Amino acid sequence: MSIILGIESTAHTFGIGIVKNGKILSNVKKTYTTKEGGIIPIEAAKHHRENKNLIYNESLIQSKIKESDIDAISFSQGPGLPPCLLEGLKFAKELSLKLKKPLIPVNHCVAHLEIGRLTNAKDPLMLYVSGANTQIIAYSNGKYRIFGETLDLGVGNFLDMLAREMKIGFPGGPIIQNLAKSGKNYIELPYVVKGMDLSLSGILTNLKQKIQSNKYSFEDLSYSAQETVFAMLLECAERAMAHTGKKELLLGGGVSCNSRLKEMAGIMCKERNAKLFIPENQFLSDNGAMIAYTGEIMFNSNIKIPFEKIDSLEIKPRQRTDELEVLWK
Ligand code: AMP
Ligand code: MG
């Protein structure tokens, strides 16, 4: 029996989740947003600092446990924005010392994948589409390996930058999804898949030019951007499924909250007789529960750092999924 508290702070979201024996007891989060413009790392870190105690207390209340019941604290070590990661690490260290409990450093991307176990996916290939990250990941031979990825922008950032160009606020993904629903005309855009990888910056430039020309509606541009980019993502994911022989596709990351992406993923899986697994939206975008959930899996494999030894723990802003030794599988 273990109770693990998990802290997420890699980018725009500060979240704290609590897990007991694989069950999510609470998942409280607050996300930094802006009306115009993108994410400013220092501002997001300030947001986390100002909200962390509130979120912590709310998470304890929702989970109906006491501070003293916590067995270990896990936190997102990377990848992410350094000022934001530092807030999470600092809070994790404070709690560890106060409660005299061990710390568990968790890779953020792997947590998006591990939380997929809640859906009963056994050995999935994950299409991980978030703000900064876009990767196709699957477990093979002791590691989570990257079978394809973006060569430049994460698809969430792509959507957010497109929204910034339209001056419709951050995060842009949900607003673009709504605009796209009223789009009627498909406008031809570049389609950039290179082997197993894809590239989005050229498409963004092309869209910016189209916005500046004032010849196209935001609805049609949003619709066309989604259709093009989601098709690219699923082409790469499908090829990786064929290559690895995996029969399960798992969606992860905030962009997979998108209803059109879910629909297209469903069609692809049906066509190749594969099964699609989609966690609830609250577990798709950044959240503390996935950090707690992964923390518990690691804790049960005895991966933890005693509170007396946490001094040397650091953030890993550029940690890659395939650097990690997966010692718990
Ligand atoms: P994450 O970093 O995993 O929390 O994901 C955040 C990203 O997800 C941001 O770039 C959002 O714009 C994007 N996002 C959230 N909801 C949606 C949606 N419904 N459609 C497309 N993108 C979305
Ligand atoms: Mg994420």
Side-chain angles (χ1 to χ4, degrees):
M1 269 251 301
S2 50
I3 296 184
I4 310 295
L5 177 136
I7 303 170
E8 161 57 32
S9 77
T10 53
H12 42 66
T13 297
F14 191 88
I16 293 190
I18 298 174
V19 168
K20 180 180 183 182
N21 301 332
K23 226 178 128 235
I24 314 288
L25 300 184
S26 65
N27 185 29
V28 182
K29 58 178 148 177
K30 219 164 174 284
T31 299
Y32 159 89
T33 59
T34 67
K35 288 215 166 59
E36 211 180 285
I39 180 169
I40 303 160
I42 297 286
E43 290 295 315
K46 182 162 165 257
H47 163 271
H48 297 352
R49 201 157 50 244
E50 288 172 355
N51 287 290
K52 61 187 181 185
N53 287 317
L54 197 90
I55 293 168
Y56 176 64
N57 290 328
E58 184 58 34
S59 200
L60 283 177
I61 292 169
Q62 281 193 19
S63 63
K64 300 193 176 68
I65 64 150
K66 300 186 296 295
E67 240 184 8
S68 54
D69 296 331
I70 296 168
D71 293 301
I73 298 124
S74 57
F75 68 99
S76 258
Q77 190 178 28
L81 303 168
C84 301
L85 286 169
L86 281 171
E87 286 304 325
L89 175 69
K90 206 171 140 226
F91 196 56
K93 283 186 172 175
E94 279 167 20
L95 277 182
S96 167
L97 292 173
K98 177 173 158 198
L99 305 176
K100 300 197 171 16
K101 296 293 177 185
L103 281 186
I104 306 165
V106 169
N107 174 282
H108 174 89
C109 310
V110 165
H112 272 291
L113 208 152
E114 291 293 358
I115 193 82
R117 293 193 197 187
L118 283 180
T119 63
N120 278 328
K122 297 281 180 283
D123 181 25
L125 181 119
M126 175 170 72
L127 176 59
Y128 170 39
V129 280
S130 72
N133 302 296
T134 294
Q135 296 177 337
I136 291 155
I137 307 173
Y139 182 76
S140 167
N141 262 328
K143 281 192 172 177
Y144 281 114
R145 303 191 187 263
I146 301 173
F147 287 89
E149 65 189 316
T150 177
L151 297 169
D152 39 48
L153 299 171
V155 63
N157 283 355
F158 163 86
L159 294 170
D160 294 337
M161 288 161 97
L162 179 58
R164 197 185 313 173
E165 207 60 30
M166 297 177 180
K167 299 198 169 44
I168 53 179
F170 172 87
I175 313 174
I176 287 179
Q177 167 176 310
N178 273 339
L179 284 171
K181 283 184 184 148
S182 317
K184 293 195 177 61
N185 307 299
Y186 179 77
I187 301 158
E188 185 100 14
L189 293 171
Y191 183 99
V192 194
V193 171
K194 300 183 178 182
M196 299 293 281
D197 298 327
L198 51 95
S199 157
L200 297 169
S201 61
I203 306 177
L204 184 65
T205 305
N206 188 291
L207 281 160
K208 280 184 187 170
Q209 288 162 352
K210 289 195 162 68
I211 291 170
Q212 280 156 14
S213 77
N214 283 325
K215 280 199 224 141
Y216 307 94
S217 72
F218 284 178
E219 286 82 358
D220 284 347
L221 288 174
S222 299
Y223 165 69
S224 309
Q226 279 196 179
E227 294 299 308
T228 307
V229 169
F230 294 170
M232 286 162 46
L233 290 168
L234 289 165
E235 182 192 326
C236 293
E238 181 168 21
R239 194 135 11 93
M241 288 175 88
H243 177 63
T244 56
K246 305 258 186 209
K247 285 281 179 195
E248 299 176 339
L249 178 69
L250 172 70
L251 297 186
V255 180
S256 39
C257 295
N258 187 289
S259 49
R260 179 61 180 146
L261 181 65
K262 290 180 188 178
E263 184 183 27
M264 287 168 77
I267 296 168
M268 185 270 268
C269 285
K270 201 165 164 222
E271 280 176 354
R272 55 178 300 110
N273 247 328
K275 262 180 109 173
L276 175 64
F277 295 88
I278 312 176
E280 283 174 43
N281 278 0
Q282 61 162 325
F283 302 126
L284 287 176
S285 31
D286 289 351
N287 65 91
M290 69 181 189
I291 305 302
Y293 189 85
T294 309
E296 189 183 38
I297 295 171
M298 293 167 71
F299 182 81
N300 289 337
S301 293
N302 220 13
I303 305 168
K304 57 189 176 201
I305 293 147
F307 72 91
E308 299 93 337
K309 294 190 177 159
I310 60 172
D311 232 24
S312 58
L313 266 178
E314 286 177 351
I315 57 168
K316 295 192 173 167
R318 295 193 165 272
Q319 187 178 44
R320 278 188 54 92
T321 309
D322 48 10
E323 270 172 29
L324 226 75
E325 290 294 340
V326 181
L327 300 169
W328 60 89
K329 274 180 95 89

